[in-house]
Amino acid sequence: MKKLFASLGLMFALLSPSMGFAQDAAAPAEAVAVEAPVAAAPAEAPAAGAAAPVPVPDKGDTAWMMVSTLLVILMIVPGVALFYGGLVRAKNMLSVLTQVMAIFCLIAILWAVYGYSLAFGDGGSLNWMIGDLSKMFLAGITGDSTAATFTDGVVIPELSFVAFQLTFAAITTALIVGGLAERVKFSALMVFSVLWFTFAYLPMAHMVWATGGFLFEKGDLDFAGGTVVHINSGVAALMGALVLGKRVGYGRDAMPPHSLPFTMIGASLLWVGWFGFNAGSNLEATGGAALAFINTILATAAAGLAWMFAEWTLRGKPSMLGIASGVVAGLVAITPAAGLVGTMGAIVLGAVAGVVCLWGVTGLKKALGYDDSLDVFGIHGIGGIIGAIGTGIFVSPALGGVGVDGYSMGGQIVTQATGVLVTVVWSGVVSFTAFKLIDMTMGLRVSEEEEREGLDTASHGERAYTV
């Protein structure tokens, strides 16, 4: 326990020099570095001498944002929890469920304490990288506060934006669990979640989605989190797998999923919840949300089929695990592009992701020899890269995309590649450093005896199943 507090103390010592309270409250946050998918009708000019009307949130937009937030929570608990839980061995089922739920609770509180302020505040001289602490503990945010959307003069309640973005932070951190499953120490995972959320997630969210952020100003397109969520978490999971080392018996003993039905249920809940994730990122209940909605169906279906047929060709049989994995790969790939590309572009992105992510969890993983337990990097990392680069291609109006100001395909691909590179390097360095610090202070991995016993009983004193 002393080592746990020592690690937390180290975190705050690192955090304090670069972050200070702003003298003035930050303006309501901008959301995503993209043009509005649907142009608003021009407003009537106010009479001479009259003050411009104060924007009032639309009830439909507000209701859609709250529903979208609920859908993303469904993705995390129970979606991610059951998807991951079914993939591990029976003796580790409860440990994964506990890890995912505990991380959601932890990040929710940290988001309210300082996360929202740092992600979407104005950081002054550091605004290219991070915000400030002027809205720490959600100071100054009330039911009457508003946040901007993509359309000039259209706003939503700021509290709904806070809640929606909270779920993004939580699911991103929870996804990392899959790379560490069946061998990570629970206390170490909690400390890592605090460090990684603070030093990896918050800077990336600010750089991509906040006005003044480095990638925002470069014009990087990330509609719902290809870089911020998927590449970010995928690289972190890979770093964790490398630092932790392989599971006892990996490559020698059989380690099949203990419950493919749970995995299928989890994948299905992810697909349902992802409509809030993608269509909710439009921030308004408009045609832009409808475009993200249909693309989330089509890209996902294409990826599921592509993975299934590729596996069928290579192995002679289509598997349920294969099509479920393909579905998740498609969801990942369409995330950065959902409200920006046309329907046919979404299908192509999904199909490419299905095939390439299959290679990522088989050929690439075998070639590099790492033990990413539940293939977080192979699906989220690789799928996120495909989606980020593909967005730069299929946003083209000539290919059915919505287009952006000053668009050129070559230039946008370079911008998207820059976003990918920054995310890989930032997340890789922060994740590796955090894992190493924890390993040197409090220990990162359970003992071999506890690993063989299973984390359900060794870490939590419970069993998922009693026969």
Side-chain angles (χ1 to χ4, degrees):
M1 185 58 69
K2 289 181 179 179
K3 292 180 179 179
L4 172 61
F5 288 126
S7 296
L8 286 172
L10 176 61
M11 177 202 70
F12 287 111
L14 290 171
L15 177 64
S16 58
S18 61
M19 299 174 185
F21 287 88
Q23 297 299 315
D24 300 307
E30 291 291 334
V32 189
V34 294
E35 294 295 321
V38 180
E44 293 184 9
V54 177
V56 177
D58 178 80
K59 291 181 179 179
D61 293 339
T62 302
W64 172 237
M65 291 310 300
M66 290 192 289
V67 169
S68 295
T69 301
L70 289 173
L71 287 171
V72 183
I73 294 173
L74 182 75
M75 290 172 65
I76 310 168
V77 282
V80 171
L82 286 177
F83 182 75
Y84 280 174
L87 289 172
V88 298
R89 289 167 287 182
K91 63 183 180 180
N92 295 310
M93 169 68 165
L94 272 183
S95 71
V96 171
L97 301 183
T98 306
Q99 289 164 10
V100 172
M101 183 169 280
I103 286 173
F104 178 83
C105 295
L106 175 64
I107 300 304
I109 300 303
L110 295 181
W111 185 254
V113 173
Y114 64 85
Y116 175 70
S117 189
L118 288 175
F120 291 100
D122 184 344
S125 62
L126 293 177
N127 198 46
W128 66 272
M129 175 189 69
I130 198 69
D132 63 6
L133 292 169
S134 61
K135 294 192 177 183
M136 194 173 185
F137 299 106
L138 303 184
I141 303 177
T142 69
D144 295 325
S145 306
T146 59
T149 68
F150 298 147
T151 306
D152 290 341
V154 177
V155 296
I156 56 175
E158 189 172 6
L159 285 173
S160 69
F161 184 70
V162 171
F164 184 63
Q165 288 294 336
L166 177 158
T167 61
F168 276 57
I171 194 170
T172 306
T173 312
L175 286 172
I176 301 169
V177 165
L180 323 175
E182 302 197 299
R183 62 206 189 275
V184 69
K185 189 184 295 185
F186 184 74
S187 57
L189 180 63
M190 293 297 100
V191 174
F192 172 80
S193 296
V194 176
L195 290 170
W196 190 84
F197 166 76
T198 304
F199 295 105
Y201 182 82
L202 294 179
M204 284 310 310
H206 185 85
M207 282 192 278
V208 175
W209 287 335
T211 302
F214 176 69
L215 293 172
F216 181 102
E217 297 301 330
K218 280 191 169 294
D220 183 53
L221 302 177
D222 189 356
F223 191 80
T227 51
V228 178
V229 176
H230 298 295
I231 301 175
N232 207 5
S233 61
V235 171
L238 177 60
M239 293 299 103
L242 293 175
V243 175
L244 271 170
K246 299 175 183 179
R247 287 168 287 179
V248 173
Y250 179 77
R252 183 187 70 238
D253 302 335
M255 298 180 179
H258 91 279
S259 178
L260 288 177
F262 275 148
T263 296
M264 189 272 176
I265 292 169
S268 302
L269 290 170
L270 281 168
W271 196 347
V272 172
W274 224 288
F275 291 107
F277 199 77
N278 284 354
S281 291
N282 190 63
L283 303 182
E284 303 172 50
T286 64
L291 177 62
F293 199 97
I294 186 67
N295 282 344
T296 303
I297 299 173
L298 296 176
T300 308
L305 289 175
W307 187 305
M308 182 187 76
F309 283 118
E311 183 183 53
W312 200 345
T313 300
L314 293 171
R315 301 181 179 177
K317 292 181 180 180
S319 70
M320 196 290 297
L321 178 57
I323 193 169
S325 300
V327 159
V328 176
L331 291 167
V332 170
I334 196 57
T335 293
L340 302 171
V341 305
T343 51
M344 296 303 105
I347 290 173
V348 173
L349 267 180
V352 171
V355 174
V356 178
C357 288
L358 170 60
W359 166 79
V361 305
T362 53
L364 178 65
K365 185 177 179 180
K366 184 176 181 180
L368 299 181
Y370 58 85
D371 181 15
D372 175 1
S373 309
L374 309 182
D375 295 312
V376 182
F377 179 73
I379 292 178
H380 294 272
I382 300 297
I385 292 170
I386 292 168
I389 302 298
T391 300
I393 298 171
F394 291 103
V395 71
S396 169
L399 298 176
V402 302
V404 291
D405 289 342
Y407 174 79
S408 72
M409 187 176 292
Q412 193 61 52
I413 290 174
V414 170
T415 300
Q416 298 301 109
T418 301
V420 170
L421 180 61
V422 169
T423 308
V424 169
V425 173
W426 193 284
S427 183
V429 170
V430 171
S431 303
F432 186 82
T433 303
F435 279 123
K436 278 293 187 182
L437 283 173
I438 294 169
D439 197 31
M440 290 187 297
T441 54
M442 60 185 295
L444 190 59
R445 183 168 179 159
V446 299
S447 67
E448 181 175 339
E449 181 182 351
E450 290 174 317
E451 186 175 341
R452 291 186 183 279
E453 177 187 349
L455 302 191
D456 287 3
T457 54
S459 297
H460 305 290
E462 301 174 297
R463 292 182 183 273
Y465 311 103
T466 302
V467 180

